[in-house]
Amino acid sequence: MTNRPDFSLEDELEATADWDDAEDSWESGYADEPDPEDNEQELTTGEQDLAERYLLRRVAGLSTELHDITEVEYRQLRLERVVLVGVWTGGTVADAENSMAELALLAETAGSEVLDAIYQRRSSPDPATYIGRGKVEGLGEIVAASGADTVICDGELAPSQLRNLEDRLKVKVVDRTALILDIFAQHAKSKEGQAQVELAQLNYLKQRLRGWGGNLSRQVGGRAGAGGVGIGGRGPGETKIETDRRRINSRIAKLRRELSEMKGTRDTKRQERRRHQVPSVAIAGYTNAGKSSLLNRVTDAGVLIEDALFATLDPTTRRTTAGDGRIYTVTDTVGFVRHLPHQLVEAFRSTLEEVADADLIVHVVDGSHPDPEGQITAVREVFAEIGADKVPELVVINKADAADPMVIARLKQREPHSVVVSARTGAGIDDLLRTIEGELPRPGVEFSALLPYERGDLLNKVHQNADIESLEHTGDGTRVSGRAHADLAGELAPYAV
Ligand code: GDP
Ligand code: MG
């Protein structure tokens, strides 16, 4: 977003105030002045009126509604029209905005058109309706006036909250978790990725079923007590839930089996790499930070780059050659995001293990993002969860071409072990490659050999896998010395000098 209004001092004060007395007020971090263009139109039941009537404040500039009529007609055929709703329980105005802006980007990534984004300041979400009960009606009018068919809540909601909201709003209500799962489902390409996402979706669904089941059995239980209706007297709803649950469970079991086989193949490949002692670099970081762009810069891998969250889900591994001729691998990984649904962290564990297993993590940070520090923290939480917090980490501050130099300076100070680059312009990439190569594990065994010319194959291996100190072509062959890993040193032993 480019036209972000400055925050007033009042906003800042509000941001740190005590919420408890503000139980049911709508807030926005953006300026309250109406858009001058909106004032030129007559708004009877327009958004501005509603906002005033209910003290609803919206996040300015998040609407992706199109103004070209033909395009609108075309897009309406395939897009959901959504209103975003958040509950802001603490932190600064900027935090609340970032969260909503990210939700908007997620919704767009899923193919939705964002009509409106509003949030409410509350000490905690309402247990029954997420936003305050008194605000649901106001939200309903905004939904009706904007013609939305879906409401997306910025959090993970209980099944009962989703149901209550749907009953009262009369449109589909989904939460952030369902949205992220949906995006993952759209983007998974490999069989493994697809199976992982399906597993996560089923686990999510199963929890929602349990919510329904619990409700129904309570009702039935009441009737059963009065009329003595036993097992056979269960309502059709519950029977259906039981069958659904059984079906889900057997599908989950099947997916788990398939995934563990696929993990086997992946592990074999990884062991293969390890046996050959090819150093591995994992590119990790917040989604949209520029990981795929960086992999392309570094290896010409041709990975899909999209200005959408989660453009890549399947890890792409490419071999590349260091300046000194040594080979190492670079893997692009799935993007991390705040509140990554736990089901997904579970499902993607084997993919994420690539990160935990790497010799070096290149942690890419979008220097042009409004809250890069928050992203760093969110990513490191996932590192800790998958056991990747022990792997050496190099922070790469990307998008230097677009970032505020002050922010870059601040980040460099906070993360001294970092390199500033632009994957777009190529600035800093040479420096990054030198730093990466300097941090790759060094082979441990010293050797000195005279290789006859017919052993060109072995000399080739030395070039790719060893750390060469000296090399000289003589009449008898190539005299070479340096450090190699144990296997290669063994092969060189017969030619030792
Ligand atoms: P990933 O989700 O981390 O893999 O991010 P991508 O590589 O797909 O990039 C996300 C978006 O950021 C794309 O629109 C890229 O063109 C853009 N991007 C990546 N690197 C840079 C950069 O150095 N400068 C700028 N301005 N944009 C970049
Ligand atoms: Mg990517």
Side-chain angles (χ1 to χ4, degrees), residues 287-293 305-307 398-399 401-402 422-424:
T287 191
N288 222 42
K291 299 179 294 299
S292 301
S293 311
I305 295 164
E306 230 176 73
D307 195 6
N398 188 33
K399 308 200 188 180
D401 57 295
S422 166
R424 177 160 294 173

Side-chain angles (χ1 to χ4, degrees), residues 97-110:
E97 269 167 26
N98 285 342
S99 190
M100 292 305 280
E102 185 172 284
L103 189 69
L105 193 50
L106 285 167
E108 282 171 47
T109 302

